[in-house]
C-alpha cells in the first residue's frame, strides 16, 4: 500500500517570505500522480497543483511550484511571496495510475498547518 | 466558480441510527467520491462512483455504508447503523475527467455520533 508522509505538522512564516512544505511517499509504481491540496479554515479542499510522475519537469502554478525528486520519492511544495490568504492546511496526496473506470482514490498525508504571519 | 455542495454542514445522530449525507456534485462532472477525516487523522478514501456504479472502495467502506445517485443530481452516502467511531468529517468530491486530473471537494459534513 502507498503511504504519504508530511513531516511538518505546523509551519509559520512571515508574509512575503518563501516557504517549502515537504512530502515523501512510498510506492513501487513507476507511473503515478501527486497532488497538493489546500484546506483553508472554511474547510473546502482546493487543488493547488498536480504532477505526473512520468514528467520530469516540475509543475508550476503562479506562486506555487513543486520540487519533484522521483528517485528520492519526494514532492515538496514551494510557496513564493507568501500571502495571508495562504494560511491553511496543506495536504500532499498520491494516486496510482487510473484503473479502468478512472475513478481512483487518493492517499493523503496528515497535512501541514501553514500560518502566514503579517 | 462551480462548487460541490454538501448538506447538512453538521449532523448529530444517536448510535445505531441511520444517516444520509447529501452531496450535489458539479453538474457536468462524471466521477464522484466520498472521503472521511476523523479528527486529528488523515483524510481517507471511502468510495468512488462512475457510470452509476461503485468504481472503487476502500476497506473502510463495509456493508454499513452505501452510496446512491438517486436522481441524476444528488450523490448520497448512507450509513445504516452508526457507531461512535463513525464520527468524522465526510467530504464529497467530483471530477469532470478521470481522477488523475484532480477533484473538486465540498466543504464537508461533520457527523457526530452520540
Amino acid at each position: 500500500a502507498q503511504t504519504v508522509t508530511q513531516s511538518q505538522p505546523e509551519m509559520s512564516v512571515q508574509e512575503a517570505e518563501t516557504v517549502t512544505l515537504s512530502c515523501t511517499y512510498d510506492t513501487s509504481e513507476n507511473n503515478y500522480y501527486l497532488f497538493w491540496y489546500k484546506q483553508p479554515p472554511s474547510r473546502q479542499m482546493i487543488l493547488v497543483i498536480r504532477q505526473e510522475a512520468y514528467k520530469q519537469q516540475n509543475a508550476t502554478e503562479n506562486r506555487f511550484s513543486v520540487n519533484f525528486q522521483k528517485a528520492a520519492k519526494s514532492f515538496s511544495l514551494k510557496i513564493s511571496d507568501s500571502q495571508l490568504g495562504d494560511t491553511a492546511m496543506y495536504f500532499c496526496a498520491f494516486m496510482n495510475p487510473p484503473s479502468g473506470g478512472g475513478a481512483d482514490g487518493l492517499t493523503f498525508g496528515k497535512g501541514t498547518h501553514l500560518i502566514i504571519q503579517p | 466558480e462551480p462548487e460541490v455542495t454538501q448538506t447538512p454542514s453538521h449532523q448529530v445522530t444517536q448510535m445505531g441510527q441511520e444517516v444520509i449525507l447529501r452531496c450535489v456534485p458539479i453538474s457536468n462532472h462524471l466521477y464522484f467520491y466520498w472521503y472521511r477525516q476523523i479528527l486529528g487523522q488523515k483524510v481517507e478514501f471511502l468510495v468512488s462512483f462512475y457510470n452509476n456504479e461503485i468504481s472503487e472502495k476502500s476497506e473502510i467502506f463495509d456493508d454499513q455504508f452505501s452510496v446512491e445517485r438517486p436522481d441524476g443530481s444528488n450523490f448520497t452516502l448512507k450509513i445504516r447503523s452508526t457507531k461512535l467511531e463513525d464520527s468524522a468529517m465526510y467530504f464529497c468530491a467530483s471530477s469532470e475527467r478521470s481522477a488523475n486530473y484532480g477533484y473538486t471537494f465540498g466543504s464537508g459534513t461533520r457527523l457526530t455520533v452520540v
Side-chain angles (χ1 to χ4, degrees):
Chain A
Q2 287 76 24
T3 57
V4 177
T5 302
Q6 294 178 249
S7 59
Q8 305 149 312
E10 186 170 289
M11 295 185 71
S12 180
V13 299
Q14 295 292 122
E15 194 175 5
E17 289 183 349
T18 294
V19 59
T20 299
L21 309 183
S22 65
C23 173
T24 58
Y25 56 93
D26 187 26
T27 183
S28 58
E29 299 285 342
N30 187 50
N31 189 26
Y32 45 86
Y33 300 85
L34 295 161
F35 305 84
W36 279 97
Y37 279 89
K38 168 186 176 181
Q39 188 180 33
S42 64
R43 300 179 301 171
Q44 185 171 23
M45 268 190 287
I46 304 163
L47 177 64
V48 175
I49 201 164
R50 63 186 283 274
Q51 175 80 41
E52 299 167 3
Y54 63 85
K55 289 187 177 178
Q56 292 190 340
Q57 186 174 8
N58 289 323
T60 299
E61 288 287 341
N62 301 313
R63 297 183 295 109
F64 298 88
S65 61
V66 298
N67 183 5
F68 173 49
Q69 301 289 327
K70 191 172 184 179
K73 296 180 182 175
S74 171
F75 183 61
S76 60
L77 175 70
K78 185 172 85 170
I79 305 173
S80 303
D81 186 26
S82 57
Q83 301 173 359
L84 296 178
D86 295 333
T87 293
M89 284 291 293
Y90 286 82
F91 294 97
C92 179
F94 173 99
M95 179 183 291
N96 278 321
S99 55
D104 294 81
L106 291 164
T107 300
F108 281 90
K110 290 192 83 169
T112 296
H113 185 205
L114 176 64
I115 301 168
I116 309 299
Q117 305 275 9
Chain B
E1 190 166 333
E3 289 186 345
V4 174
T5 305
Q6 290 187 245
T7 55
S9 57
H10 189 190
Q11 180 152 0
V12 181
T13 189
Q14 288 198 325
M15 191 170 55
Q17 295 294 305
E18 175 183 287
V19 294
I20 298 177
L21 308 183
R22 303 181 191 280
C23 171
V24 178
I26 294 173
S27 60
N28 63 334
H29 285 191
L30 301 176
Y31 302 85
F32 313 109
Y33 314 86
W34 282 102
Y35 284 77
R36 79 172 185 190
Q37 184 180 27
I38 295 171
L39 187 64
Q41 298 188 25
K42 292 184 180 184
V43 178
E44 300 171 294
F45 170 72
L46 293 178
V47 66
S48 61
F49 193 87
Y50 171 67
N51 202 24
N52 288 319
E53 62 183 16
I54 290 175
S55 182
E56 184 181 335
K57 59 182 181 179
S58 70
E59 293 176 352
I60 304 167
F61 194 86
D62 60 22
D63 291 344
Q64 72 163 151
F65 292 95
S66 63
V67 289
E68 197 176 33
R69 190 158 158 76
D71 56 12
S73 62
N74 291 285
F75 180 51
T76 61
L77 174 69
K78 181 190 292 184
I79 309 175
R80 285 192 186 79
S81 177
T82 50
K83 298 177 280 197
L84 295 177
E85 53 265 38
D86 293 327
S87 295
M89 281 291 292
Y90 287 82
F91 293 100
C92 174
S94 67
S95 60
E96 181 181 5
R97 297 180 286 178
S98 60
N100 55 301
Y101 289 94
Y103 307 160
T104 301
F105 280 88
S107 296
T109 294
R110 178 167 297 285
L111 176 65
T112 303
V113 183
V114 297

